[in-house]
Amino acid sequence: MRLTTGMGAKGPRRSRYLEKGNSDSMKHSQEPVLQPVKDRDRTVSADESESSPVRVALVGGGKMARHHARALLRVNGARVTAVAEPDDEVRKGMLELCRDADGYPDLADLLREHQVDVVHVCTPPATHAAIARLALEHNAHLYVEKPFVTTASEASELLSLAASRNLQVCAGHQLLYEAPSRRAVDLLPALGTIVHLESYFAFRQVRAGRDGRPALSPELQLLDILPHPVYL
């Protein structure tokens, strides 16, 4: 399996979640495998989406959070109702993008005032576990950007908590749902027993942001990309 991707430059201003998350030490541990949902081809009917849109809260205001916001704006069955981001200017930019959403400095304030169905966690990996736990404790489903969390024990704890509350958790392993991966899954029965697999994933290192600020260190850029070949 040979996959190639490029990494673009970051957005104009860094979210404060990034400042907090990148200062923490990362504990490297293998993540439990999160299986893709079985109804991957299911579409939301017009009646269903109009009568009960999925209420989504976005946590974070960086480049990935903006990607999520733009994607959700194209989904008829979902609506971004709230955004949590501690930086006032970054949060303002997110609210200009999600015009029907309310803004909050943190997720705790958001969840006290808003009832949401799903929380998208788009912050640095070191912050994922605490944010995800808080969302689950408020009975919200989760979409967590990769790397999912920083330790296997954190992942097990979150998945157990979600199961106890009958909640769904999805990691940002989006390549599992792209056409080449889905075709590969369909072909697996014809291959017999697989005894060896090689996965190649290339990326272009970002050396500076468009606004002149320093880019993430090479090891953090690698950590950001590494989950893709691992989960594939």
Side-chain angles (χ1 to χ4, degrees):
M1 183 181 299
R2 186 181 299 273
L3 300 172
T4 304
T5 187
M7 291 184 63
K10 298 292 182 181
R13 180 174 175 115
R14 184 188 296 263
S15 164
R16 285 190 184 172
Y17 279 117
L18 293 176
E19 297 171 2
K20 176 181 178 181
N22 289 336
S23 64
D24 296 333
S25 61
M26 301 296 292
K27 300 177 181 178
H28 301 282
S29 181
Q30 183 178 5
E31 297 176 16
V33 176
L34 303 183
Q35 299 295 336
V37 293
K38 295 181 179 179
D39 57 345
R40 63 186 184 185
D41 294 318
R42 177 180 179 273
T43 57
V44 178
S45 67
D47 291 340
E48 183 180 358
S49 63
E50 291 176 3
S51 62
S52 56
V54 176
R55 298 164 295 183
V56 182
L58 287 174
V59 186
K63 178 181 178 181
M64 192 54 63
R66 292 193 294 274
H67 281 327
H68 280 240
R70 293 186 184 100
L72 287 164
L73 289 172
R74 297 195 297 268
V75 178
N76 290 332
R79 184 165 61 93
V80 178
T81 60
V83 171
E85 161 58 47
D87 186 286
D88 291 342
E89 184 177 334
V90 175
R91 185 171 64 251
K92 180 181 177 181
M94 286 293 292
L95 294 177
E96 290 174 354
L97 186 60
C98 307
R99 297 186 180 276
D100 295 330
D102 294 322
Y104 297 87
D106 58 58
L107 182 60
D109 289 341
L110 185 158
L111 292 172
R112 274 194 293 268
E113 298 188 23
H114 264 271
Q115 184 176 359
V116 297
D117 302 305
V118 186
V119 172
H120 283 219
V121 182
C122 305
T123 60
T127 67
H128 286 182
I131 293 172
R133 187 181 305 110
L134 181 60
L136 291 172
E137 289 171 349
H138 284 77
N139 296 314
H141 301 287
L142 278 174
Y143 183 107
V144 184
E145 266 300 333
K146 50 84 185 154
F148 180 54
V149 286
T150 59
T151 68
S153 60
E154 288 176 340
S156 297
E157 176 192 350
L158 291 175
L159 295 178
S160 296
L161 178 59
S164 70
R165 292 173 174 262
N166 197 31
L167 297 169
Q168 298 292 316
V169 176
C170 180
H173 297 171
Q174 71 272 15
L175 296 185
L176 290 172
Y177 302 95
E178 292 191 358
S181 299
R182 294 168 68 162
R183 179 58 177 157
V185 170
D186 293 337
L187 293 174
L188 283 178
L191 298 178
T193 301
I194 297 176
V195 297
H196 180 75
L197 175 67
E198 294 186 11
S199 179
Y200 298 89
F201 203 101
F203 72 99
R204 183 174 63 254
Q205 180 181 335
V206 177
R207 301 187 183 278
R210 292 177 180 173
D211 59 352
R213 65 175 175 78
L216 292 176
S217 63
E219 60 269 21
L220 287 179
Q221 291 185 44
L222 177 61
L223 182 63
D224 182 56
I225 291 297
L226 190 58
H228 287 309
V230 172
Y231 68 69
L232 284 172

